[in-house]
Amino acid sequence: MAVAAAALVLGIVTTGLMAASGGAFHRTAPASWRARSEPCAAPAATGSAVDVTVWDMGRMMRGPNRPAPDDGLPGWHGMGMMRLVARPATVQAGQVTVRVVNAGALTHEVIVLPLPAGRAAGERAIGSDGRVSEAGSLGEASRTCGSGAGEGVASGAASWTTVTLRPGRYELLCNVPGHYAAGMYAELDVRR
């Protein structure tokens, strides 16, 4: 009983620290993440670069004393314990290399989609499969240690894609079932 209580307190403290640190967590950690994924670090950018970090609470989200909810999806996704952060949030139009580092324990991906006028990131309709429509996708970084589409970016690894973006608003998102609903999206603004 004491072990379960300690694990719960640790989970709450960790979640609070991640939420409170926000950008500071992202600014201080990438060097250590790059060291973890050095064998497959993303190449130099073609045009502008957007560095995306994806992470999750991983093994803390589930355990023998905390079974998954009966939603058919792995993990406790609906609790918002996943994040996708893109830096910078604004780039110049033209070629943009989206470089992804997976700092979580689960497999992730990043899809580049135009953001419809009047809509904010995180407002897409989620299907019964826990995913959003990828219609109109401009690119995907989901190949572990490689460029383009694949089977997902493994924990500790990198992936990248280079796309040509016109001025406008775009959404970067993870479309692994349940991850978008858990908060894995960010807006990218492209200026002239």
Side-chain angles (χ1 to χ4, degrees):
M1 183 76 156
V3 171
L8 178 60
V9 169
L10 178 61
I12 292 169
V13 169
T14 303
T15 301
L17 287 173
M18 284 178 66
S21 63
F25 182 74
H26 176 56
R27 285 189 300 276
T28 58
S32 64
W33 296 337
R34 281 193 302 272
R36 286 178 55 201
S37 63
E38 189 173 317
C40 64
T46 300
S48 298
V50 176
D51 291 313
V52 178
T53 304
V54 293
W55 73 89
D56 54 75
M57 295 297 286
R59 290 173 191 86
M60 292 177 64
M61 295 168 59
R62 296 182 71 176
N65 298 322
R66 293 183 312 242
D70 187 22
D71 62 3
L73 303 174
W76 287 358
H77 298 301
M79 296 179 70
M81 295 182 156
M82 298 185 176
R83 292 291 175 254
L84 181 153
V85 176
R87 298 282 190 260
T90 302
V91 295
Q92 295 296 313
Q95 284 196 316
V96 177
T97 300
V98 177
R99 302 182 296 200
V100 179
V101 173
N102 183 353
L106 303 174
T107 298
H108 296 288
E109 65 184 11
V110 173
I111 310 294
V112 181
L113 290 168
L115 195 55
R119 302 289 300 271
E123 293 182 347
R124 293 179 189 272
I126 300 170
S128 60
D129 61 354
R131 302 178 70 212
V132 301
S133 171
E134 293 183 17
S137 171
L138 300 171
E140 177 174 341
S142 63
R143 180 182 307 277
T144 295
C145 299
S147 177
E151 298 299 315
V153 184
S155 175
S159 183
W160 56 92
T161 188
T162 300
V163 294
T164 300
L165 300 178
R166 295 179 178 179
R169 298 169 53 238
Y170 298 85
E171 186 170 17
L172 306 177
L173 60 92
C174 180
N175 208 18
V176 170
H179 292 198
Y180 184 78
M184 295 196 74
Y185 52 82
E187 182 173 330
L188 175 66
D189 295 323
V190 178
R191 309 268 161 111
R192 291 190 191 276

